[in-house]
Amino acid sequence: MLNEDAGIATAAGYVVKVPVRWSDMDVYQHINHARMVTLLEEARIPWLFLDGRPTAPLREGCLVADLHVKYQAQLRHSEGPIEVTMYVERLRAVDFTVGYEVRAAGADPASKPAVVASTQLVAFDVAGQRIARLSPEQKDYLNSFRRSDDTSANPR
């Protein structure tokens, strides 16, 4: 069971510090592009899947349907732990899209993110092998992390 929270809710979204491992680095001492996807996944866990969260049952059935990652600046291994701000870009009956802004440790939250990304997640009934509807409680929780255009910390 997941029960340790490593993040904090802010006006910009849910912020998690994710440790950068030696194995996340490429030969240029940057965080490897493929490893960035794993670090984004690790950032989602305390926000969405911890015990007590309305979205915790999604850890039993949640699929990645779409993923976009845009690199805007270098992130070096030495700049960890990276700070990942997550928010909900879109919310529908069976899916939602998470937006990410990734910055080096200690970076100003208003600074341009080094990485921006999005992941469309779909609720899924594994036993029935079909998509599932998000519960009203899940939608309320996710909706609390929606951004309006004027509250976006950093437009892409």
Side-chain angles (χ1 to χ4, degrees):
M1 290 292 168
L2 303 169
N3 58 18
E4 185 177 327
D5 193 353
I8 185 168
T10 70
Y14 198 84
V15 180
V16 175
K17 293 182 181 185
V18 180
V20 179
R21 296 167 296 262
W22 186 257
S23 60
D24 295 331
M25 183 174 53
D26 64 18
V27 296
Y28 303 108
Q29 298 182 6
H30 300 118
I31 296 174
N32 177 278
H33 66 282
R35 298 302 294 227
M36 181 57 65
V37 174
T38 300
L39 295 170
L40 295 174
E41 179 182 25
E42 290 174 8
R44 282 195 308 266
I45 292 169
W47 178 40
L48 298 175
F49 302 130
L50 290 184
D51 292 342
R53 301 257 195 261
T55 50
L58 292 174
R59 65 184 180 219
E60 302 300 324
C62 188
L63 303 176
V64 173
D66 193 40
L67 169 70
H68 297 270
V69 182
K70 181 177 180 182
Y71 301 92
Q72 302 185 136
Q74 298 178 33
L75 270 176
R76 295 180 143 332
H77 177 268
S78 61
E79 295 176 308
I82 58 173
E83 296 181 6
V84 182
T85 302
M86 297 165 288
Y87 56 95
V88 174
E89 290 183 346
R90 185 176 68 174
L91 178 60
R92 300 187 309 178
V94 299
D95 70 321
F96 58 101
T97 302
V98 176
Y100 306 85
E101 297 172 346
V102 182
R103 295 177 178 82
D108 182 343
S111 66
K112 180 179 178 178
V115 176
V116 292
S118 65
T119 307
Q120 180 188 12
L121 299 172
V122 180
F124 193 75
D125 173 1
V126 176
Q129 287 296 294
R130 62 180 173 261
I131 59 174
R133 294 185 83 71
L134 295 165
S135 72
E137 295 81 15
Q138 291 169 337
K139 289 173 79 173
D140 286 347
Y141 178 73
L142 293 167
N143 200 43
S144 72
F145 291 97
R146 297 276 314 249
R147 284 186 179 173
S148 63
D149 291 337
D150 59 337
T151 60
S152 178
N154 261 299
R156 293 183 200 193

Coordinates of all heavy atoms in Angstrom, one line a residue, residues 5 9 14 44-50 52-56 58 88 91 96 135-146:
D5 N 3.2 10.6 1.7 CA 3.0 11.7 0.8 C 4.3 12.5 0.7 O 4.9 12.8 1.7 CB 1.9 12.6 1.3 CG 1.4 13.6 0.3 OD1 2.1 13.7 -0.8 OD2 0.5 14.3 0.5
A9 N 0.0 20.5 -2.3 CA -0.9 21.2 -3.2 C -0.6 22.7 -3.1 O -0.4 23.2 -2.0 CB -2.3 20.9 -2.7
Y14 N -0.1 20.4 -8.0 CA 0.5 19.5 -7.0 C 1.9 19.4 -7.3 O 2.3 19.0 -8.4 CB -0.2 18.1 -7.0 CG 0.0 17.3 -5.7 CD1 -0.8 17.5 -4.6 CD2 1.1 16.4 -5.7 CE1 -0.5 16.9 -3.4 CE2 1.3 15.8 -4.5 CZ 0.5 16.0 -3.4 OH 0.8 15.3 -2.2
R44 N 3.6 11.3 -10.3 CA 2.1 11.1 -10.2 C 1.7 10.3 -9.0 O 0.6 10.5 -8.5 CB 1.6 10.4 -11.5 CG 1.5 11.2 -12.7 CD 0.6 10.5 -13.7 NE 1.0 9.2 -14.1 CZ 1.8 8.9 -15.1 NH1 2.3 9.8 -15.9 NH2 2.1 7.6 -15.4
I45 N 2.5 9.4 -8.6 CA 2.1 8.5 -7.5 C 1.7 9.1 -6.3 O 0.5 8.9 -5.8 CB 3.3 7.4 -7.3 CG1 3.4 6.5 -8.5 CG2 3.0 6.6 -6.0 CD1 4.7 5.7 -8.5
P46 N 2.4 10.1 -5.6 CA 1.9 10.6 -4.4 C 0.7 11.5 -4.6 O -0.1 11.7 -3.7 CB 3.1 11.5 -3.8 CG 4.0 11.6 -5.0 CD 3.8 10.5 -5.9
W47 N 0.5 12.1 -5.8 CA -0.6 12.9 -6.1 C -1.9 12.1 -6.3 O -3.0 12.5 -5.8 CB -0.3 13.8 -7.3 CG -1.4 14.7 -7.7 CD1 -2.3 15.4 -6.9 CD2 -1.8 15.0 -9.1 NE1 -3.2 16.1 -7.7 CE2 -2.9 15.9 -9.0 CE3 -1.4 14.6 -10.3 CZ2 -3.5 16.4 -10.1 CZ3 -2.0 15.1 -11.4 CH2 -3.1 16.0 -11.3
L48 N -1.8 11.0 -7.0 CA -3.0 10.3 -7.4 C -3.3 9.0 -6.7 O -4.4 8.6 -6.6 CB -3.0 10.1 -9.0 CG -2.9 11.3 -9.8 CD1 -2.8 10.9 -11.3 CD2 -4.2 12.1 -9.7
F49 N -2.3 8.3 -6.3 CA -2.4 6.9 -6.0 C -2.2 6.5 -4.5 O -2.3 5.4 -4.1 CB -1.5 6.0 -6.8 CG -1.8 6.2 -8.3 CD1 -0.7 6.4 -9.2 CD2 -3.1 6.1 -8.8 CE1 -1.0 6.5 -10.5 CE2 -3.3 6.3 -10.2 CZ -2.2 6.5 -11.0
L50 N -2.0 7.5 -3.6 CA -1.8 7.2 -2.2 C -3.1 6.9 -1.6 O -4.2 7.3 -1.9 CB -1.2 8.5 -1.5 CG 0.2 8.8 -1.8 CD1 0.7 10.0 -0.9 CD2 1.2 7.7 -1.6
G52 N -6.1 6.9 0.8 CA -6.9 8.1 1.2 C -7.3 9.1 0.2 O -8.1 9.9 0.4
R53 N -6.6 9.0 -1.0 CA -7.0 9.9 -2.1 C -8.2 9.3 -2.8 O -8.3 8.1 -3.0 CB -5.8 10.0 -3.1 CG -4.5 10.5 -2.6 CD -4.3 11.9 -3.0 NE -2.9 12.3 -2.7 CZ -2.5 13.0 -1.7 NH1 -3.4 13.3 -0.7 NH2 -1.3 13.3 -1.5
P54 N -9.1 10.2 -3.3 CA -10.3 9.6 -4.0 C -9.8 8.9 -5.3 O -10.5 8.0 -5.7 CB -11.1 10.9 -4.4 CG -10.6 11.9 -3.4 CD -9.2 11.6 -3.0
T55 N -8.7 9.2 -5.8 CA -8.2 8.6 -7.0 C -7.3 7.4 -6.7 O -6.9 6.7 -7.7 CB -7.3 9.6 -7.8 OG1 -6.4 10.2 -6.9 CG2 -8.2 10.7 -8.4
A56 N -7.1 7.0 -5.5 CA -6.3 5.8 -5.1 C -6.8 4.5 -5.8 O -6.0 3.7 -6.3 CB -6.2 5.6 -3.6
L58 N -7.7 4.1 -8.7 CA -7.2 4.1 -10.1 C -5.9 3.3 -10.2 O -5.5 2.8 -11.3 CB -7.0 5.5 -10.6 CG -8.3 6.3 -10.9 CD1 -7.9 7.7 -11.3 CD2 -9.1 5.6 -11.9
V88 N -4.5 19.4 -13.8 CA -5.4 18.7 -14.7 C -5.7 19.7 -15.8 O -6.2 20.8 -15.6 CB -6.7 18.3 -14.0 CG1 -7.7 17.7 -15.0 CG2 -6.3 17.2 -13.0
L91 N -10.6 17.1 -18.2 CA -11.3 16.1 -17.3 C -12.6 15.7 -18.0 O -13.4 16.6 -18.3 CB -11.6 16.7 -15.9 CG -12.3 15.8 -15.0 CD1 -11.6 14.5 -14.7 CD2 -12.6 16.6 -13.7
F96 N -8.7 11.7 -18.0 CA -8.2 13.1 -17.7 C -6.8 13.2 -18.2 O -6.1 12.3 -18.4 CB -8.3 13.4 -16.2 CG -7.5 12.4 -15.3 CD1 -6.3 12.8 -14.8 CD2 -8.0 11.2 -15.0 CE1 -5.6 11.9 -14.0 CE2 -7.4 10.3 -14.2 CZ -6.1 10.6 -13.6
S135 N -15.5 8.2 -10.7 CA -16.5 8.5 -9.7 C -16.7 10.0 -9.5 O -15.7 10.8 -9.8 CB -16.2 7.8 -8.4 OG -15.1 8.5 -7.8
P136 N -17.8 10.4 -9.0 CA -18.0 11.8 -8.7 C -16.9 12.4 -7.8 O -16.4 13.5 -7.9 CB -19.4 11.9 -8.1 CG -20.1 10.8 -8.6 CD -19.0 9.7 -8.8
E137 N -16.5 11.5 -6.8 CA -15.4 11.9 -5.8 C -14.1 12.1 -6.6 O -13.3 13.0 -6.3 CB -15.3 10.9 -4.7 CG -16.5 10.8 -3.8 CD -17.6 9.9 -4.4 OE1 -17.4 9.2 -5.4 OE2 -18.7 10.1 -3.9
Q138 N -13.8 11.2 -7.5 CA -12.5 11.3 -8.3 C -12.6 12.5 -9.1 O -11.6 13.3 -9.2 CB -12.3 10.1 -9.1 CG -12.0 8.8 -8.3 CD -12.1 7.5 -9.1 OE1 -12.8 7.5 -10.2 NE2 -11.4 6.5 -8.6
K139 N -13.7 12.8 -9.8 CA -13.8 14.0 -10.6 C -13.7 15.3 -9.8 O -13.0 16.2 -10.2 CB -15.1 13.9 -11.4 CG -15.1 12.9 -12.5 CD -16.4 12.7 -13.2 CE -16.6 13.7 -14.2 NZ -17.8 13.5 -15.0
D140 N -14.3 15.3 -8.6 CA -14.2 16.5 -7.7 C -12.7 16.7 -7.3 O -12.2 17.9 -7.4 CB -15.0 16.3 -6.5 CG -16.5 16.5 -6.8 OD1 -16.9 16.9 -7.9 OD2 -17.3 16.1 -5.9
Y141 N -12.0 15.7 -7.0 CA -10.6 15.8 -6.6 C -9.8 16.3 -7.7 O -9.0 17.2 -7.6 CB -10.1 14.4 -6.1 CG -8.6 14.4 -5.7 CD1 -8.2 15.1 -4.5 CD2 -7.7 13.8 -6.5 CE1 -6.9 15.1 -4.2 CE2 -6.3 13.8 -6.1 CZ -5.9 14.5 -5.0 OH -4.6 14.5 -4.6
L142 N -9.9 15.7 -8.9 CA -9.2 16.1 -10.1 C -9.5 17.5 -10.5 O -8.6 18.3 -10.8 CB -9.4 15.1 -11.2 CG -8.8 13.7 -11.0 CD1 -9.4 12.7 -12.0 CD2 -7.3 13.7 -11.0
N143 N -10.8 17.8 -10.4 CA -11.2 19.2 -10.8 C -10.6 20.3 -9.9 O -10.4 21.4 -10.3 CB -12.7 19.3 -10.8 CG -13.3 20.4 -11.6 OD1 -12.8 20.6 -12.7 ND2 -14.2 21.1 -11.1
S144 N -10.3 19.9 -8.7 CA -9.7 20.9 -7.8 C -8.3 21.3 -8.2 O -7.7 22.3 -7.7 CB -9.6 20.4 -6.3 OG -8.7 19.3 -6.2
F145 N -7.7 20.5 -9.2 CA -6.4 20.8 -9.7 C -6.4 21.4 -11.1 O -5.4 21.4 -11.8 CB -5.5 19.6 -9.6 CG -5.1 19.2 -8.2 CD1 -5.8 18.2 -7.5 CD2 -4.1 19.9 -7.6 CE1 -5.5 17.9 -6.2 CE2 -3.8 19.5 -6.2 CZ -4.5 18.6 -5.6
R146 N -7.6 21.8 -11.6 CA -7.7 22.4 -12.9 C -7.2 23.8 -12.8 O -7.3 24.5 -11.8 CB -9.2 22.5 -13.3 CG -9.9 21.2 -13.5 CD -9.8 20.5 -14.8 NE -9.9 21.3 -16.0 CZ -10.9 21.2 -16.9 NH1 -11.9 20.4 -16.7 NH2 -10.9 22.0 -17.9

